[in-house]
Amino acid sequence: MAGTACQEVRSTCPYCGTGCGVLLRPDGQGGLGVRGDPEHPANRGRLCSKGLALGETLGLEGRLLAPRVQGRETDWDSALDLVAARFRQAVEQHGPDSVGFYLSGQMLTEDYYVANKLMKGFLGSANIDTNSRLCMASAVAGHKRAFGTDTVPGTYEDLEAAELIVLVGSNLAWCHPVLHQRILAARKARGTKLVVIDPRRTASCDQADMHLKLRAGSDVALFNRLLAALREGGALDADYLQHVEGLGGALDAAAAEDASVTGLSEGELKAFCDLWMRTEKVVTVFSQGVNQSTSGADKVNAILNCHLATGRIGKPGCGPFSVTGQPNAMGGREVGGLANMLACHMDLENSRHRDAVQAFWGAPAMPDRAGLKAVDLFRAAGDGRLKALWIIHTNPAVTMPEADTVSAAIKACEFTVVSDITAATDTARLADVLLPAAAWAEKHGTVTNSDRTISRQRAALPPPGEARADWDILADAARRMGWGAAFDYQSPAQIFREHAALSGLAGSFGLDFDISGLSCLSGAGYDGLAPVRWPVSRSRQGGRFFADGQFFHPDGKARMLPVRWRPPAAAQDRRYPFRLNTGRIRDQWHTMTRTGKAPRLSGHLAEPFADIHPEDARRLGVQPADLLRLSSPHGQAILRARITADVQPGDLFVPIHWTGETAPSARIDTLVAGAVDPVSGQPESKAAVVAAERWQPAWYGFAVSSQPMRPRAEYWAVARTGTGYRAELAGLAPLADLESVARDLFALPEADVQVMTDRRRGIARLALFQEGKVMAALFTAPEPVAVRRDYLAGLPGSFAPDVLTGFAAAGRPDPGPVVCACFSVGANTIVHAIESGGLVSVEEVGAALQSGTNCGSCRPDIAELLARRTFRQAAE
């Protein structure tokens, strides 16, 4: 049941893999109040800016409320009869490998379980993969090669017990802010050392003791140098190494490595190795910067080699730690929601495991080999091998490498089903059948976070329209395919019990994932399930793995692997001289289907951009706020240039979030090649090669409106504001009739018009008014428009006769660009407080304005504002 007004419902945040607990309070009008759960072990009441804004992302706007077939609304029976018939027809005529599922780490464990059971056990194919292939597959492969299973050894408590924390390819401060705050709190209390290993300077470097700005992709060489130094320094743990095979080969590979490929100085290398070697309690946190590589699995094993060689694993404050990017990437791995997995960490190619699962499910058919992983799955859709494809809660037309090719493949597939909460995504627009799914806060189930803690997601609101839970949709389709008894589920609790019971088989095979102790949960027990870390069985409860030297290979030993540095798949050359790094920004998530609805989350960085080093900008003739055109063998993109020494010469950084719905020219994965790690199948998303040039339009524009906008220009980017929308624009054809352009852009035909032009400077400005209130405004110029954007974004719906000046009139507040999204504090507000109050520290700013006191991810920005004031004072 959904919650009632004034009654708080315990649930879990739907964003990153930290797995923060939230308390939801329905307001009785379809909205929710959201606060952190002080009793949840992952966050202890803290939330990041995205979690705090969850209540702003709800509502019916844009929701898919009924099934659609070929764009027309229909009923559930008609839609699911069609889905069942087409999938059965494909299997009967072309074999089981003619169908595929592509899932999401945002699905609940119960949803994942039903999808995996249907595809592998009943349709008879392993062609089921997930967008987790794009973020954590290399960690899975590395874990399995080293440990025998996909086991995360440690817990979040290790971050507080460690003496040294090394962040590798992880901008934790922005991507997992609550965990970063736990580290900084431990650093303040215990003096924990912090090292950041990343080709670019990020917010995570703000309080680091050391930043190793290595060359992109050279992590294996760095950790091989560390392993060689550990041997030379006598830091290997001979007792623990009795439980490890492969030491000799790994040491030989490390000794042969040339660490100069990292680009780090000998002094930097020695300082890092010495610090790691002399510190007993070390946690190495790694994420997408390690995994998203054609050598991602080797990078993971290079890190694991160092921890295994020193026995720094499985003990408090020690161990490698893979942090996941999605709320249930771990749960998907647990149920087997990847093409090369079976279920519950059992192996698809192991006949004993396969037979046991087939018997447990009563399945008519089971594949005996891995299915198509994500990149190959969409290639099969494009070349006709895949006849029916079901995509659930993900947007591969934007997020897959070679995104234009993937879009064409989805469109070409004979039959595509998309389950989602909205029809307004690049992928949903390509579907033959659209199925309305329940969203976060509307459904019940479980998720597993990065440290193996299983938490409940609970419904606080009813699903709108005809939306249904994913497990219910999948089970209904399976029954219509003829497998009624196997999919006669009445509740997610029933599915969870089955999943837990199946995990007991994994436990009987001596594997790590065993939650059979939860297989007898009653409905009430499931409803009230508190966060619990697996394993949960008769023999073991939670805790860490591997301190005892017991692993999951047949001989019970771990494996160290001989790994060597390999360059990225694509080489830079004269045509494509830049290395492209992609990633997330602080206040957005994935393709902004949810975060894009919250105005305060768009206030920090409202437009897609490319970070470029000053030397490269000078060489290309690029000035601040110019537009850059990036091109690769696979596509092109146009983005705003940000000139910064945070990136190295020859490197570019671009965020991943913009889509055809928000900025069509900034779909960045159109540039990324589909090269994958040979072991994990994970694409290389952080080392594409591109060319860059200054893009010169005929005009630039900035617009604000109380109504949605869909501009017609070669470049545009739209973002939500508190009063409507804002947009950046640029076009190649000169603007002949500004009023016609504005009326088309704003769809306000009855509005009064005010126009201001300066022909000499080529500037034109227009505002639309209704009943004296500003409803929209458009500012154009032959160069990037110079106006107070955040001030103007707040004007629609208000009386502002001076709007066309582009600046705040005397007495009007102008908070400036958002710095702290948690409390909506702008840069101008902070600068005023600094100057008027004589504030000299981030803590003093926090005490005065609250900024930086919650998730802390804006603290580096506040520190920069303080530093600018100090610099100005010194200059004066």
Side-chain angles (χ1 to χ4, degrees), residues 100-374:
F101 288 173
Y102 188 64
L103 310 179
S104 166
Q106 297 162 72
M107 293 174 67
L108 303 182
T109 296
E110 293 77 3
D111 305 328
Y112 251 129
Y113 180 86
V114 176
N116 189 55
K117 178 180 176 179
L118 174 56
M119 179 54 76
K120 292 196 176 108
F122 290 81
L123 290 170
S125 174
N127 286 348
I128 176 171
D129 217 47
T130 166
N131 59 12
S132 297
R133 178 72 60 192
L134 310 184
C135 61
M136 301 312 303
S138 293
V140 174
H143 289 158
K144 290 192 71 174
R145 293 200 296 182
F147 308 145
T149 55
D150 174 23
T151 309
V152 175
T155 72
Y156 290 160
E157 287 72 28
D158 292 324
L159 301 177
E160 281 122 356
E163 297 166 346
L164 168 63
I165 294 174
V166 181
L167 303 182
V168 191
S170 170
N171 184 10
L172 208 70
W174 276 19
C175 300
H176 301 84
V178 171
L179 292 184
H180 192 67
Q181 287 304 303
R182 290 182 69 161
I183 291 172
L184 294 184
R187 178 176 167 78
K188 184 176 181 180
R190 305 180 62 252
T192 307
K193 298 292 184 181
L194 180 62
V195 174
V196 175
I197 299 172
D198 199 304
R200 68 187 182 106
R201 180 175 179 81
T202 69
S204 299
C205 300
D206 181 50
Q207 296 190 46
D209 297 280
M210 186 184 301
H211 174 207
L212 299 181
K213 211 169 185 178
L214 79 177
R215 289 197 184 114
S218 62
D219 310 73
V220 170
L222 175 61
F223 280 90
N224 269 345
R225 172 61 182 269
L226 173 60
L227 182 61
L230 292 170
R231 178 190 193 180
E232 294 163 5
L236 304 186
D237 187 333
D239 291 336
Y240 195 83
L241 284 167
Q242 297 178 41
H243 305 291
V244 179
E245 295 288 342
L247 173 65
L251 289 174
D252 289 345
E257 192 72 86
D258 178 8
S260 68
V261 299
T262 64
L264 300 173
S265 69
E266 187 59 34
E268 289 174 308
L269 291 166
K270 186 176 186 305
F272 170 63
C273 292
D274 286 350
L275 179 61
W276 209 101
M277 183 162 35
R278 69 172 184 262
T279 308
E280 182 61 30
K281 294 184 176 182
V282 181
V283 172
T284 305
V285 177
F286 61 94
S287 193
Q288 319 299 30
V290 167
N291 296 319
Q292 291 179 332
S293 167
T294 49
S295 58
D298 284 355
K299 292 180 182 180
V300 173
N301 285 109
I303 293 168
L304 303 186
N305 282 349
C306 295
H307 282 274
L308 289 169
T310 56
R312 297 175 185 177
I313 186 169
K315 296 179 285 189
C318 294
F321 205 127
S322 162
V323 290
T324 51
Q326 295 191 85
N328 205 30
M330 288 282 281
R333 287 147 64 175
E334 291 156 12
V335 303
L338 288 164
N340 54 315
M341 292 180 163
L342 180 54
C344 299
H345 290 190
M346 289 179 277
D347 291 324
L348 196 59
E349 289 86 359
N350 185 309
S351 60
R352 292 176 62 223
H353 294 180
R354 200 167 57 244
D355 291 346
V357 174
Q358 184 170 4
F360 181 89
W361 281 341
M366 292 284 283
D368 58 4
R369 64 186 186 280
L372 296 173
K373 298 170 184 174

Side-chain angles (χ1 to χ4, degrees), residues 4 147 212 217 253 328 352 355 393 425 530 533 544 792 795 826 833:
T4 58
F147 308 145
L212 299 181
N328 205 30
R352 292 176 62 223
D355 291 346
H393 289 304
T425 73
R533 182 180 293 126
R544 300 172 178 84
L792 292 171
L795 294 186

